[in-house]
Amino acid sequence: MLSFPKDFIWGVAASAYQIEGAWNEDGRGTSIWDTFSHIPGKVLNNENGDVAADHYHRWKEDVALMSELGVKAYRFSTAWPRILPEGVERVNPKGLDFYDRLVDELLRRGIEPYICLFHWDLPQPLQDQGGWTNRETASHFAEYARVTAERLGDRVKTWFTHNEPWVAAFVGHLFGEHAPGQKDLGAAIKAMHHLLLSHGLAAEAIRAAVKGPVQIGITLNLNPVHPATNSKKDREAAERVDLFMNRIVLDPLLKGTTPIQDSALTKILTARLIQDGDLQKIRQLDLLGVNYYSRTVMKHSNSLPVVNAEQVHPVGNEYSGMWEIYPEGMHETLKMVWEYHPTCELMVTENGIPVPDGVDFDGRVRDERRIRYLRDHIAQVHRAIEDGIPVKGYFHWSLLDNFEWALGYGQRFGLVHVDWKTQKRITKDSGRWFAKVIQENGLDISR
Ligand code: FCB
């Protein structure tokens, strides 16, 4: 049995657009994900989050499911366009009421609410003014943070500003696979900086709005970048990708510097982009959330600009519907962060695997593959703790099957199965397995 520290926080995570549905109800404004997913061809099978897991109506049942699992905390995101339909100024009381009820119900069940303010659903009216490429969006975000914290901050003590700002910046503005669907390196770098700047501005706004102790966090997608071979060219390619994927977010947040200033190509951009005082503002953090799913293996190639690298998928390894399965990378990622000597707390805020789960004849969902994945990854979290890295918690992605962005509903990540026709929920075998881990506060690796 691998035992975890006494106060270890076992949780589950989710995000607004992926589960809520009710996209045009009770005064919610339009987000860039509504716009993007409604354009034919952007999401697999032209699916969208209009209904998703209908959590907006089934939130009470969903909190009851969490309570059955015994989770100590729930990390969810508030939808900016539900709270401020135009992104600025006019507050929609019904939007705030929804999260108010959710927070109360969580607390009633003894589950700590962890709010994330931005999980990619930018109000469309702000996108029309340039979105994250426009510096003003960072100030608007701080205003949204203030409004939300003023209403919920008496009960919510842990606030994440952003989920995976790198993905919002690069997958949304360079690769074009996520909303707003741009393919422009300059836009991606601008968005990256403004997202980070908005973290700092929001941190100040939340601290001013909440009385008493409050923790400000950010959640990052991090992964070790490995060279495809030991050749100098491949090793250098891996280093460049590491800079563009990991250091680009870690350096500003943990060191107050940015690697994009060193790169010849981005120098021209950053000269105007990064203003005096920005880097000090960004470096405000009490809690760093690590989302770990996989590693990245790169070889030297001209196929990707700037980094001159190309991703490879080593033969003979195990893969899921989205990524290589590489449990050791969990430990390596936590170690990578720890080597920055962070003064903030550390937590795993997402980890999970898509499995094409089906319901068996007897109504059970036997998702053995997820159980194995979780066992192997949680064991690596334990290994990190043994090595002296003080990881405070582990949040599984996700409670429910949900809308997996550009991949639609085919990729099921939940501990709870959702029937997309009836919205019926069934706790999977992995859910029961996770509940046991929580109950024992430890991992029986023989199971
Ligand atoms: C992360 C996202 C989350 C979900 C998982 C599978 O990158 O934060 O919304 O899509 O991947």
Side-chain angles (χ1 to χ4, degrees), residues 3 64 73 100 152 156-157 207 269 281 299 309 327 331 356 358 394 424:
S3 298
D100 201 276
L152 304 172
V156 178
K157 298 298 168 197
R207 287 210 180 99
L269 278 171
K281 278 247 182 289
K299 70 169 185 187
H331 177 267
Y394 172 92
K424 187 177 171 210

mmCIF file of all heavy atoms in Angstrom, residues 3 64 73 100 152 156-157 207 269 281 299 309 327 331 356 358 394 424:
data_model
loop_
_atom_site.group_PDB
_atom_site.id
_atom_site.type_symbol
_atom_site.label_atom_id
_atom_site.label_comp_id
_atom_site.label_asym_id
_atom_site.label_seq_id
_atom_site.Cartn_x
_atom_site.Cartn_y
_atom_site.Cartn_z
ATOM 1 N N SER A 3 0.885 4.853 0.939
ATOM 2 C CA SER A 3 0.055 5.797 1.704
ATOM 3 C C SER A 3 0.383 7.234 1.347
ATOM 4 O O SER A 3 1.537 7.574 1.065
ATOM 5 C CB SER A 3 0.302 5.611 3.193
ATOM 6 O OG SER A 3 -0.079 4.320 3.542
ATOM 7 N N ALA A 64 -24.041 15.066 -5.960
ATOM 8 C CA ALA A 64 -24.327 13.836 -5.200
ATOM 9 C C ALA A 64 -23.387 12.707 -5.651
ATOM 10 O O ALA A 64 -22.877 11.942 -4.826
ATOM 11 C CB ALA A 64 -25.788 13.425 -5.385
ATOM 12 N N ALA A 73 -12.491 17.677 -2.871
ATOM 13 C CA ALA A 73 -12.552 18.974 -3.546
ATOM 14 C C ALA A 73 -13.006 18.793 -4.997
ATOM 15 O O ALA A 73 -12.832 17.739 -5.588
ATOM 16 C CB ALA A 73 -11.177 19.642 -3.511
ATOM 17 N N ASP A 100 -23.461 30.242 -7.310
ATOM 18 C CA ASP A 100 -23.741 30.409 -5.883
ATOM 19 C C ASP A 100 -24.399 29.145 -5.323
ATOM 20 O O ASP A 100 -23.987 28.609 -4.291
ATOM 21 C CB ASP A 100 -24.670 31.623 -5.746
ATOM 22 C CG ASP A 100 -24.621 32.205 -4.364
ATOM 23 O OD1 ASP A 100 -25.354 31.681 -3.509
ATOM 24 O OD2 ASP A 100 -23.848 33.152 -4.144
ATOM 25 N N LEU A 152 -18.581 35.156 -4.545
ATOM 26 C CA LEU A 152 -18.349 33.792 -4.039
ATOM 27 C C LEU A 152 -17.186 33.687 -3.046
ATOM 28 O O LEU A 152 -16.998 32.646 -2.414
ATOM 29 C CB LEU A 152 -18.088 32.838 -5.220
ATOM 30 C CG LEU A 152 -19.194 32.801 -6.303
ATOM 31 C CD1 LEU A 152 -18.736 31.974 -7.497
ATOM 32 C CD2 LEU A 152 -20.495 32.229 -5.744
ATOM 33 N N VAL A 156 -15.468 30.558 -1.219
ATOM 34 C CA VAL A 156 -14.435 29.913 -2.046
ATOM 35 C C VAL A 156 -13.075 30.505 -1.690
ATOM 36 O O VAL A 156 -12.878 31.713 -1.795
ATOM 37 C CB VAL A 156 -14.727 30.106 -3.552
ATOM 38 C CG1 VAL A 156 -13.640 29.475 -4.406
ATOM 39 C CG2 VAL A 156 -16.093 29.527 -3.898
ATOM 40 N N LYS A 157 -12.149 29.656 -1.280
ATOM 41 C CA LYS A 157 -10.852 30.146 -0.804
ATOM 42 C C LYS A 157 -9.703 29.813 -1.752
ATOM 43 O O LYS A 157 -8.581 30.264 -1.560
ATOM 44 C CB LYS A 157 -10.555 29.566 0.596
ATOM 45 C CG LYS A 157 -11.586 29.990 1.644
ATOM 46 C CD LYS A 157 -11.600 31.506 1.833
ATOM 47 C CE LYS A 157 -12.806 31.970 2.642
ATOM 48 N NZ LYS A 157 -13.062 33.417 2.497
ATOM 49 N N ARG A 207 -7.593 39.166 -4.488
ATOM 50 C CA ARG A 207 -7.111 39.463 -3.124
ATOM 51 C C ARG A 207 -7.837 40.664 -2.539
ATOM 52 O O ARG A 207 -8.155 40.685 -1.351
ATOM 53 C CB ARG A 207 -5.605 39.736 -3.140
ATOM 54 C CG ARG A 207 -4.821 38.475 -3.337
ATOM 55 C CD ARG A 207 -3.446 38.519 -2.681
ATOM 56 N NE ARG A 207 -2.795 37.241 -2.938
ATOM 57 C CZ ARG A 207 -1.906 37.042 -3.900
ATOM 58 N NH1 ARG A 207 -1.526 38.038 -4.669
ATOM 59 N NH2 ARG A 207 -1.376 35.847 -4.079
ATOM 60 N N LEU A 269 8.613 41.252 -31.653
ATOM 61 C CA LEU A 269 7.276 41.241 -31.060
ATOM 62 C C LEU A 269 7.302 41.672 -29.608
ATOM 63 O O LEU A 269 6.533 42.516 -29.167
ATOM 64 C CB LEU A 269 6.730 39.810 -31.086
ATOM 65 C CG LEU A 269 6.102 39.328 -32.358
ATOM 66 C CD1 LEU A 269 5.840 37.841 -32.246
ATOM 67 C CD2 LEU A 269 4.798 40.078 -32.584
ATOM 68 N N LYS A 281 4.198 41.722 -12.255
ATOM 69 C CA LYS A 281 2.767 41.489 -12.036
ATOM 70 C C LYS A 281 2.424 40.006 -12.173
ATOM 71 O O LYS A 281 1.635 39.462 -11.414
ATOM 72 C CB LYS A 281 1.935 42.243 -13.082
ATOM 73 C CG LYS A 281 1.697 43.680 -12.803
ATOM 74 C CD LYS A 281 0.200 43.906 -12.522
ATOM 75 C CE LYS A 281 -0.121 45.372 -12.285
ATOM 76 N NZ LYS A 281 0.350 45.928 -11.059
ATOM 77 N N LYS A 299 11.843 15.231 -32.906
ATOM 78 C CA LYS A 299 13.083 15.108 -33.683
ATOM 79 C C LYS A 299 13.302 16.402 -34.467
ATOM 80 O O LYS A 299 12.360 17.178 -34.677
ATOM 81 C CB LYS A 299 12.994 13.909 -34.625
ATOM 82 C CG LYS A 299 12.034 14.081 -35.773
ATOM 83 C CD LYS A 299 12.223 12.951 -36.784
ATOM 84 C CE LYS A 299 11.339 13.206 -37.986
ATOM 85 N NZ LYS A 299 11.326 12.123 -38.937
ATOM 86 N N ALA A 309 11.221 21.426 -35.459
ATOM 87 C CA ALA A 309 11.103 20.109 -34.851
ATOM 88 C C ALA A 309 9.824 19.446 -35.346
ATOM 89 O O ALA A 309 8.958 20.093 -35.949
ATOM 90 C CB ALA A 309 11.063 20.246 -33.338
ATOM 91 N N PRO A 327 3.581 6.973 -17.762
ATOM 92 C CA PRO A 327 3.412 7.327 -16.346
ATOM 93 C C PRO A 327 4.623 8.002 -15.716
ATOM 94 O O PRO A 327 4.465 8.928 -14.911
ATOM 95 C CB PRO A 327 3.136 5.978 -15.661
ATOM 96 C CG PRO A 327 2.709 5.054 -16.743
ATOM 97 C CD PRO A 327 3.338 5.549 -18.007
ATOM 98 N N HIS A 331 6.145 11.936 -12.727
ATOM 99 C CA HIS A 331 7.230 12.207 -11.773
ATOM 100 C C HIS A 331 8.203 13.224 -12.353
ATOM 101 O O HIS A 331 8.587 14.196 -11.694
ATOM 102 C CB HIS A 331 7.936 10.884 -11.454
ATOM 103 C CG HIS A 331 9.100 11.038 -10.538
ATOM 104 N ND1 HIS A 331 10.387 11.207 -10.983
ATOM 105 C CD2 HIS A 331 9.162 11.074 -9.188
ATOM 106 C CE1 HIS A 331 11.200 11.333 -9.950
ATOM 107 N NE2 HIS A 331 10.480 11.262 -8.842
ATOM 108 N N PRO A 356 -12.785 4.463 -24.831
ATOM 109 C CA PRO A 356 -14.111 4.349 -25.473
ATOM 110 C C PRO A 356 -15.026 3.393 -24.688
ATOM 111 O O PRO A 356 -15.415 2.335 -25.162
ATOM 112 C CB PRO A 356 -13.783 3.796 -26.865
ATOM 113 C CG PRO A 356 -12.447 3.141 -26.720
ATOM 114 C CD PRO A 356 -11.737 3.779 -25.580
ATOM 115 N N GLY A 358 -17.990 1.475 -22.870
ATOM 116 C CA GLY A 358 -19.387 1.151 -23.169
ATOM 117 C C GLY A 358 -20.039 0.525 -21.948
ATOM 118 O O GLY A 358 -19.357 0.060 -21.036
ATOM 119 N N TYR A 394 -4.325 15.668 -5.779
ATOM 120 C CA TYR A 394 -4.443 15.036 -7.098
ATOM 121 C C TYR A 394 -5.899 15.131 -7.537
ATOM 122 O O TYR A 394 -6.797 14.648 -6.848
ATOM 123 C CB TYR A 394 -4.023 13.565 -7.013
ATOM 124 C CG TYR A 394 -4.292 12.780 -8.271
ATOM 125 C CD1 TYR A 394 -3.320 12.654 -9.259
ATOM 126 C CD2 TYR A 394 -5.533 12.171 -8.488
ATOM 127 C CE1 TYR A 394 -3.574 11.944 -10.431
ATOM 128 C CE2 TYR A 394 -5.794 11.463 -9.656
ATOM 129 C CZ TYR A 394 -4.810 11.356 -10.618
ATOM 130 O OH TYR A 394 -5.064 10.664 -11.765
ATOM 131 N N LYS A 424 -28.281 9.829 -18.841
ATOM 132 C CA LYS A 424 -28.179 8.975 -17.664
ATOM 133 C C LYS A 424 -26.711 8.827 -17.248
ATOM 134 O O LYS A 424 -25.836 8.629 -18.085
ATOM 135 C CB LYS A 424 -28.787 7.602 -17.987
ATOM 136 C CG LYS A 424 -28.875 6.714 -16.786
ATOM 137 C CD LYS A 424 -29.547 5.391 -17.088
ATOM 138 C CE LYS A 424 -29.365 4.495 -15.870
ATOM 139 N NZ LYS A 424 -29.307 3.112 -16.178
#
